[in-house]
């Protein structure tokens, strides 16, 4: 939750933001608009936002970026807002487009954006720009904003923790903002550059809710590229109302109420820019304080005073303020103490009973705390670091928000459904796994004809333990439905979405709610099919194959010069004397941090002492390892590599006679050269295969499991 090191914020940026607030809108860098235009722009509603807070020099030129954003409310027209707030130089955008996402970096019919009628806009340092209105039917789904930067891009103003894949062209790639396909976008990052907001008109939204927070609101520890931050779940709940609302995520990792740093201004310092100036804002949810109380050194009274000041300024602009209680954090590093816990309880007592300072509260503390130890997260909601929630915890926060209390949407569903566990594990073709849906009615009237069903991947089955329908569910009541879910024997190993849909009658209207979790399908030992063979230097190896997927369960003390204890799935004679061997390691579990998985070649993999032996692996935690046998005695006596581990990992050995070159890639497109080595004993076409070793010298008897989903050899 500690914030990224930022850059100095210029005073001019704050002044520019204040001018925009006083004007009541964010205008493009263009001549001042007339009164009629100002009245029109005031009807915009924010549907997506992020808090820009830092800048860096990318060292690139002539590039285009493509930014997917998951909007929260739809409309019939759209505009985007850009910022150059944390920089000292102007930035020029030569071409900008917006369109509906068509998967990955592809866009359906991108629409050209203009700024004050012009296709190019230069944004001075510390200022913002809003595009002109574009007619586009915007559903509550992913849009894509593309920006082309002509010439040298001297800096990028960013929100660094996007938890979203953002696509870039390579250096010198040129203008691809108008492309429908995404083939030109070969680089990826996960921060949001320049884009600070997307607004809509003509939809059913009656305004927007602004979530002001820190890394928990920012989505830390939630699933990337899945929109599972708690504001995303809140937006999903509001989408079922007769009149919906936008939800704007203004979380910054490491943010505090009582103090700020360069690149991460305090909640008070950024309130005007990130909250009060948001188009269509009606209600603010304030979820901050844990950083202040833990590592920030603030007292409970100081946090309360800050909340009171935020309330004064929010109310002064005619907005409502909902406070969220501070979550437990015992076990998060060494930050928790009894005294700090007392301060947390003091702040939470104020949030629950503020004497009218707040307009309501959401009890996030109660939603996720352990009933047996309220100073800690309950295990079901803990991501593992004891501060940030997992996806289920994020849902619990959204569920704790009283929708009528937001006063921004009408006629909202009162009954919700949640699936547990949030990451169930199933074995392909194995026995059933228990999946439970909990249906809760938190409304003020009875829900009737309550029906629940699972949405399963093809080839899966589910057997309910009892009925799935319920005649009625009273206010405040919950019910559960449990299924035994079985994955098909030929299901691909990896992650599969598993959904539930519950429908019910509320008054005279049929309503529904949905939830989704990621189910992980794991392999079971079953052997491999011809022409693949197996060999092992340990007696505890097992194997499985599912089409192009392979699994190896292996022990072994090491795979290096002093020990050669591994298990392998290989193709005899498949390593060409001049060509490549490539595989992708999806993941590796079990054993210790030095466990290895990767590719190997040799004249004979069953007898490495026959020469030509080389191995390229990704270790569980210590990065790449490229090992070769320089003298033909069967021992791996040269080494290169290191760095950080990543999975999935593409690994490639390129052979040219006795010269071997190792490469690695995170995406199979951009390859990093690890090293080159000479293996004099290599001769003819050798064996090539996938290998794994537990490296369990310090973990005796433990097994590692390595999974591959691609293996190929080419001359």
């Amino acid at each position: 939750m500690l914030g990224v090191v930022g850059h100095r914020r210029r005073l001019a940026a704050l002044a520019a933001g204040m001018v925009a607030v006083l004007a009541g809108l964010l205008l493009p860098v263009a001549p001042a608009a007339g009164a009629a235009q100002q009245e029109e722009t005031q009807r915009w509603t924010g549907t997506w936002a992020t808090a820009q807070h830092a800048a860096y020099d990318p060292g690139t030129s002539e590039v285009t970026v493509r930014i997917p954003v998951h909007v929260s409310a739809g409309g019939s027209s759209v505009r985007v807002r850009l910022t150059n707030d944390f920089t000292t130089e102007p930035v020029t955008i030569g071409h900008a487009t917006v369109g509906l996402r068509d998967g990955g970096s592809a866009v359906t019919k991108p629409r050209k954006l203009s700024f004050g009628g012009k296709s190019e806009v230069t944004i001075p340092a510390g200022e913002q720009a809003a595009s002109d209105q574009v007619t586009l039917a915007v559903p509550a789904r992913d849009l894509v904003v593309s920006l082309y930067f002509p010439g040298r891009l001297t800096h990028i103003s960013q929100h660094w923790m996007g938890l979203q894949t953002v696509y870039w062209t390579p250096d010198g790639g040129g203008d691809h903002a108008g492309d429908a396909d995404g083939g030109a976008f070969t680089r990826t990052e996960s921060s949001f550059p320049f884009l600070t907001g997307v607004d809509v008109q003509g939809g059913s939204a009656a305004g927007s809710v602004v979530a002001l927070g820190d890394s928990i609101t920012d989505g830390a520890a939630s699933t990337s590229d899945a929109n599972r931050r708690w504001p995303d779940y809140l937006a999903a709940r509001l989408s079922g109302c007769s009149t919906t609302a936008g939800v704007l995520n203004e979380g910054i990792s490491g943010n505090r109420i009582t103090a700020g740093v360069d690149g991460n201004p305090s909640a008070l310092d950024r309130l005007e820019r990130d909250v009060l100036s948001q188009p269509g804002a009606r209600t603010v949810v304030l979820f901050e304080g844990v950083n202040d109380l833990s590592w920030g050194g603030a007292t409970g009274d100081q946090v309360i005073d800050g909340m009171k000041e935020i309330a004064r300024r929010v109310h002064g602009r005619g907005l409502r303020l909902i406070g969220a209680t501070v979550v437990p954090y015992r076990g998060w590093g060494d930050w928790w103490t009894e005294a700090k816990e007392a301060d947390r309880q003091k702040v939470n007592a104020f949030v629950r009973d503020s004497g009218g300072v707040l307009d309501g509260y959401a009890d996030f503390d109660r939603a996720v705390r352990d009933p047996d130890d309220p100073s800690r997260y309950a295990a079901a909601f803990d991501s593992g670091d004891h501060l940030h929630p997992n996806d289920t915890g994020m849902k619990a926060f959204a569920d704790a928000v009283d929708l009528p209390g937001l006063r921004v949407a009408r006629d909202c569903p009162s009954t919700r459904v949640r699936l547990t566990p949030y990451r169930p594990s199933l074995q392909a073709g194995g026995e059933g796994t228990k999946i439970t849906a909990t249906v809760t009615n938190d409304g003020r009237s009875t829900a009737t004809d309550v029906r629940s069903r699972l949405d399963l991947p093809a080839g899966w089955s589910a057997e309910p333990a009892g009925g799935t329908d319920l005649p009625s569910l009273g206010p405040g009541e919950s019910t559960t439905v449990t299924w035994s879910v079985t994955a098909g024997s030929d299901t691909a190993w990896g992650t599969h979405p598993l959904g539930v849909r519950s429908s019910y009658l509320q008054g005279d209207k049929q309503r529904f709610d949905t939830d989704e979790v990621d189910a992980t399908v794991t392999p079971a030992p079953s052997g491999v099919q011809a022409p693949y063979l197996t060999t092992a230097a340990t007696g505890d190896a097992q194997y499985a194959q599912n089409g192009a997927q392979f699994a190896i369960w292996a022990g072994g003390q090491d795979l290096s010069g002093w020990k050669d204890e591994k298990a392998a799935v290989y193709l005899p004679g498949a390593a060409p004397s001049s060509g490549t061997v490539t595989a992708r390691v999806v993941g590796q579990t079990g054993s210790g941090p030095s466990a290895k998985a990767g590719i190997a070649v040799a004249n004979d993999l069953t007898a490495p002492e026959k020469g030509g032996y080389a191995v390229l692996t990704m270790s569980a935690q210590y990065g790449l390892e490229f090992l070769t046998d320089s003298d033909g005695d069967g021992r791996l006596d040269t080494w290169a590599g290191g760095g950080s581990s990543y999975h999935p990992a593409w690994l490639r050995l390129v052979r040219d006679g006795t010269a071997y070159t190792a490469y690695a890639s995170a995406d199979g497109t951009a390859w990093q050269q690890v090293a080159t080595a000479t293996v004099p004993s290599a001769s003819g076409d050798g064996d090539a295969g996938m290998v794994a070793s537990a490296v369990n010298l310090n973990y005796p008897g433990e097994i590692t499991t390595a999974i591959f989903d691609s293996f190929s050899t080419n001359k």
Side-chain angles (χ1 to χ4, degrees):
M1 204 160 184
L2 297 174
V4 69
V5 176
H7 297 259
R8 183 178 308 228
R9 186 181 186 188
R10 301 171 67 251
L11 292 177
L14 179 58
M18 293 290 288
V19 170
V21 169
L22 292 173
L25 61 150
L26 292 170
L27 293 174
V29 182
Q37 184 179 346
Q38 291 188 21
E39 182 179 353
E40 175 69 14
T41 57
Q42 288 172 347
R43 290 201 294 268
W44 288 103
T45 295
T47 185
W48 179 91
T50 194
Q52 297 280 330
H53 62 99
Y56 70 97
D57 183 349
T60 191
S61 300
E62 290 287 334
V63 291
T64 306
V65 64
R66 183 154 278 182
I67 312 165
V69 296
H70 189 69
V71 301
S72 54
S76 58
S77 61
V78 64
R79 73 172 184 181
V80 306
R81 289 179 284 124
L82 307 172
T83 187
N84 194 25
D85 217 19
F86 286 86
T87 68
T88 58
E89 300 291 336
V91 65
T92 296
I93 295 158
H95 184 195
T97 63
V98 64
L100 302 181
R101 192 177 189 185
D102 193 25
S105 56
V107 184
T108 301
K109 296 180 180 179
R111 305 288 182 88
K112 185 176 181 178
L113 292 169
S114 61
F115 299 82
K118 299 179 179 179
S119 60
E120 181 175 290
V121 62
T122 296
I123 309 174
E127 296 192 18
Q128 300 186 12
S131 74
D132 301 329
Q133 178 176 337
V134 172
T135 300
L136 178 66
V138 180
R141 52 168 280 194
D142 283 359
L143 291 180
V144 175
V145 177
S146 301
L147 308 173
Y148 161 60
F149 305 96
R152 171 77 161 84
L153 183 57
T154 62
H155 62 273
I156 290 176
S157 180
Q158 65 163 343
H159 176 89
W160 76 270
M161 192 172 72
L163 294 177
Q164 170 69 57
T165 299
V166 172
Y167 303 90
W168 289 84
T169 61
D171 186 38
D175 181 7
H176 292 276
D179 292 5
D181 69 89
F185 297 87
T186 58
R187 294 193 299 118
T188 61
E189 292 186 4
S190 60
S191 63
F192 293 121
F194 295 106
L195 184 66
T196 192
V198 179
D199 309 325
V200 292
Q201 285 185 356
S204 65
S208 60
V209 178
V210 185
L212 176 60
D214 48 40
S215 64
I216 300 177
T217 297
D218 214 2
S222 68
T223 302
S224 297
D225 287 318
N227 302 305
R228 293 180 182 174
R229 314 163 189 87
W230 73 261
D232 296 321
Y233 285 118
L234 178 61
R237 289 188 66 199
L238 287 166
S239 69
C241 304
S242 295
T243 58
T244 60
V247 178
L248 308 181
N249 189 332
E250 296 292 346
I252 300 178
S253 180
N255 203 232
R256 290 177 285 169
I257 294 174
T258 58
V261 296
D262 284 349
N264 199 335
S266 72
L268 286 163
D269 287 341
R270 66 189 185 95
L271 189 64
E272 289 287 349
R273 184 200 67 191
D274 291 344
V275 178
L276 301 181
S277 63
Q278 293 297 330
R282 299 288 182 269
T283 300
V284 180
V285 179
L286 173 61
F287 181 30
E288 295 227 27
V290 71
N291 287 331
D292 302 82
L293 297 174
S294 57
W295 57 268
T299 66
D301 286 334
Q302 288 172 324
V303 172
I304 292 170
D305 287 344
M307 289 181 168
K308 289 179 178 179
E309 175 64 13
I310 290 173
R312 183 188 68 79
R313 292 168 61 185
V314 167
H315 290 150
R317 298 295 291 276
L319 279 64
R320 291 173 58 79
L321 181 64
I322 305 299
T325 49
V326 181
V327 293
Y329 63 91
R330 188 172 187 176
W332 179 54
D334 297 324
W335 297 114
W336 186 92
T337 66
E338 293 282 359
K340 291 178 180 180
E341 176 67 15
D343 272 332
R344 187 178 75 89
Q345 296 298 341
K346 186 174 188 177
V347 171
N348 285 349
F350 166 76
V351 172
R352 294 181 180 114
D353 185 9
S354 67
V357 174
L358 305 174
D359 299 298
Y361 73 93
D363 207 337
F364 287 3
D365 168 44
R366 183 183 179 189
V368 298
R369 70 192 182 200
D370 185 344
D372 298 325
D373 184 355
S375 65
R376 297 179 182 272
Y377 265 80
F381 306 120
D382 191 352
S383 68
D385 69 4
H386 313 304
L387 172 67
H388 300 96
N390 55 30
D391 293 351
T392 298
M394 292 288 185
K395 295 172 194 170
F397 290 157
D399 286 346
V401 177
D402 176 45
L403 298 189
L406 296 175
R407 303 283 179 88
V408 72
R410 297 194 305 272
D411 189 25
C412 296
S414 66
T415 300
R416 63 188 188 274
V417 62
R418 292 294 173 255
L419 277 179
T420 53
Y422 87 107
R423 284 184 179 170
S425 180
L426 300 85
Q427 196 170 66
E431 296 182 357
T433 296
K434 295 292 188 293
I435 308 292
T436 297
T438 301
V439 185
T440 303
N441 181 3
D442 58 6
R444 297 173 177 83
S445 61
T446 297
T448 60
D449 194 22
V450 182
R451 301 169 181 264
S452 300
R453 64 174 175 81
L454 287 181
D455 293 325
L456 301 172
W460 292 31
S461 62
E463 291 294 330
T468 59
D469 302 342
L470 191 69
S472 64
L473 189 65
E477 293 182 347
S478 293
T479 187
T480 60
V481 181
T482 298
W483 293 266
S484 178
V485 178
T486 303
S489 58
D490 58 351
T491 301
W493 311 328
T495 300
H496 298 266
L498 183 65
V500 65
R501 177 187 174 97
S502 289
S503 62
Y504 59 96
L505 293 177
Q506 180 180 331
D508 59 350
K509 291 185 178 180
Q510 184 166 34
R511 306 275 199 169
F512 69 91
D513 190 33
T514 63
D515 193 22
E516 184 179 274
V517 296
D518 289 333
T520 301
V521 176
T522 61
S526 59
V528 299
Q529 292 86 49
Y532 289 94
L533 302 175
T534 64
T535 183
T538 60
D540 45 18
Q542 292 181 293
Y543 313 91
Q545 182 181 355
N546 184 1
Q549 294 181 300
F550 297 86
I552 301 175
W553 290 263
Q557 291 187 63
D558 205 351
L559 173 55
S560 65
W562 80 290
K563 290 282 186 179
D564 187 48
E565 296 184 346
K566 65 182 185 299
V569 175
Y570 72 101
L571 290 172
S577 58
S578 180
T580 64
V581 178
T582 306
R584 190 170 88 143
V585 184
V586 177
Q588 186 170 19
T589 58
S591 188
S594 298
K596 301 174 185 177
I599 53 179
V601 297
N603 294 344
D604 184 346
L605 274 176
T606 67
E609 66 275 8
K610 293 183 180 179
Y613 192 25
V615 175
L616 174 63
T617 67
M618 179 67 75
S619 70
Q621 293 184 25
Y622 296 143
L624 293 160
E625 297 194 52
F626 175 42
L627 304 98
T628 63
D629 174 10
S630 67
D631 56 11
D633 66 353
R635 295 181 179 273
L636 298 167
D637 52 22
T638 73
W639 183 94
S644 300
S645 294
Y646 53 87
H647 295 90
W650 288 90
L651 304 176
R652 174 172 290 170
L653 283 175
V654 178
R655 181 183 172 192
D656 184 6
T658 60
Y660 290 0
T661 305
Y663 297 88
S665 172
D667 59 9
T669 301
W671 291 88
Q672 162 201 356
Q673 182 172 320
V674 181
T676 295
T678 300
V679 184
S681 57
S683 62
D685 293 343
D687 297 347
M690 297 157 279
V691 297
S693 175
V695 191
N696 62 12
L697 179 65
N698 296 320
Y699 306 87
E702 291 195 18
I703 300 295
T704 190
T705 303
I707 297 178
F708 304 78
D709 69 356
S710 177
F711 178 76
S712 63
T713 62
N714 293 285
K715 293 187 178 180

